[in-house]
Amino acid sequence: MYVHNISDDIKASAKLINSNGGKWGYVLLTMNIDDRNKANLQGLFDAAKSSSLIPILQISNNSICKVEKMDFEGLSKMLNGLKWPSTHRYISVFNEMNAKDYWCQRIAPNEYAQALDKAIKAFKGKSSNFFIMPGAFNSSARTQDRYMSEDAYLIKMNASVPGIFKKIDGWSTHAYPHPNFSGDINNLPANYGARDTINNYTWERAVLKNNFGVGTLPTFITE
């Protein structure tokens, strides 16, 4: 469940996430790449632990798109110094990068590949407990003015940093139905397919396997 970075909201969400007697479900929290407020984040982690929730931390680039200006070393050092509720420390690096809106009004898969590679090296250099995933993509978008089709974007990422998808630990996905967030899996328009449904991760897994030889990764539906 995606919640506000408020301790009371995290605790309230546990009533739904861990309903029916469950425990240690997942809660998605967000933070900017340049956030260094340890006390605030530790408070959120403590709230998650007391509610038997495992946080997935989605990092925002905060309009920083030049890889050399992304301080993953400082961020990983700070996050490594916190007490996490779980052994695995789940990190999702950025959000829907195949859209101009989330990358300084540009489509730049080469830059994102380099940023992801830099993040992996920084976090893994601090602890093998960090579990790194790319940010989720907009799988339904086809190449046009503001988007690049995810499959084409991933190919360009791998061309920039060969083997990048064999370095990650898991996969995050945004499983929206389309068109208009209300598509019917049994009655899709002719040019629509699995990538446009809540089963979009099956299409993404096929792209990873067929294009990059990546086996089935643990998959987290973060939106």
Side-chain angles (χ1 to χ4, degrees):
M1 193 172 191
Y2 193 159
V3 303
H4 294 115
N5 286 10
I6 301 172
S7 294
D8 287 345
D9 285 7
I10 293 172
K11 294 175 182 178
S13 72
K15 297 177 182 178
L16 177 61
I17 298 170
N18 288 337
S19 60
N20 296 322
K23 260 194 172 184
W24 298 107
Y26 296 87
V27 61
L28 185 77
L29 306 176
T30 59
M31 68 172 295
N32 291 331
I33 189 173
D34 50 4
D35 184 351
R36 299 293 182 270
N37 191 332
K38 292 180 64 175
N40 180 62
L41 281 167
Q42 188 61 65
L44 299 177
F45 286 177
D46 291 346
K49 182 177 181 179
S50 68
S51 304
S52 297
L53 294 175
I54 300 171
I56 298 174
L57 200 57
Q58 180 178 296
I59 308 300
S60 167
N61 63 340
N62 200 25
S63 297
I64 300 172
C65 301
K66 291 185 177 181
V67 179
E68 63 271 18
K69 292 188 177 182
M70 295 177 180
D71 183 20
F72 286 114
E73 279 296 322
L75 178 62
S76 60
K77 180 179 180 181
M78 187 266 284
L79 292 177
N80 190 50
L82 299 180
K83 294 181 180 179
W84 290 65
S86 59
T87 299
H88 286 315
R89 303 166 178 180
Y90 296 95
I91 303 287
S92 178
V93 184
F94 305 156
N95 176 67
E96 296 194 3
M97 299 70 55
N98 61 322
K100 286 185 176 180
D101 306 79
Y102 298 103
W103 201 265
C104 299
Q105 300 304 309
R106 295 183 288 110
I107 300 291
N110 60 316
E111 294 176 357
Y112 178 61
Q114 293 162 22
L116 179 59
D117 190 47
K118 184 176 181 179
I120 292 169
K121 291 175 180 176
F123 281 105
K124 293 295 188 180
K126 297 297 183 297
S127 172
S128 61
N129 289 334
F130 282 112
F131 185 103
I132 309 301
M133 301 178 279
F137 294 89
N138 184 327
S139 65
S140 185
R142 273 55 167 184
T143 299
Q144 46 140 306
D145 177 56
R146 302 201 63 76
Y147 300 94
M148 178 181 287
S149 182
E150 181 182 350
D151 48 351
Y153 192 96
L154 298 183
I155 289 170
K156 289 183 179 295
M157 281 182 64
N158 192 67
S160 178
V161 182
I164 184 63
F165 300 113
K166 292 186 177 181
K167 298 181 179 182
I168 58 179
D169 300 304
W171 191 256
S172 55
T173 190
H174 288 172
Y176 291 117
H178 284 283
N180 301 319
F181 301 100
S182 60
D184 180 352
I185 192 170
N186 296 311
N187 189 31
L188 290 170
N191 64 327
Y192 279 67
R195 65 187 293 184
D196 307 292
T197 73
I198 59 172
N199 295 323
N200 72 323
Y201 60 90
T202 62
W203 174 79
E204 292 177 308
R205 284 176 171 176
V207 171
L208 291 170
K209 180 179 180 180
N210 296 335
N211 291 328
F212 315 112
V214 176
T216 301
L217 291 167
T219 301
F220 297 79
I221 299 174
T222 51
E223 282 187 26

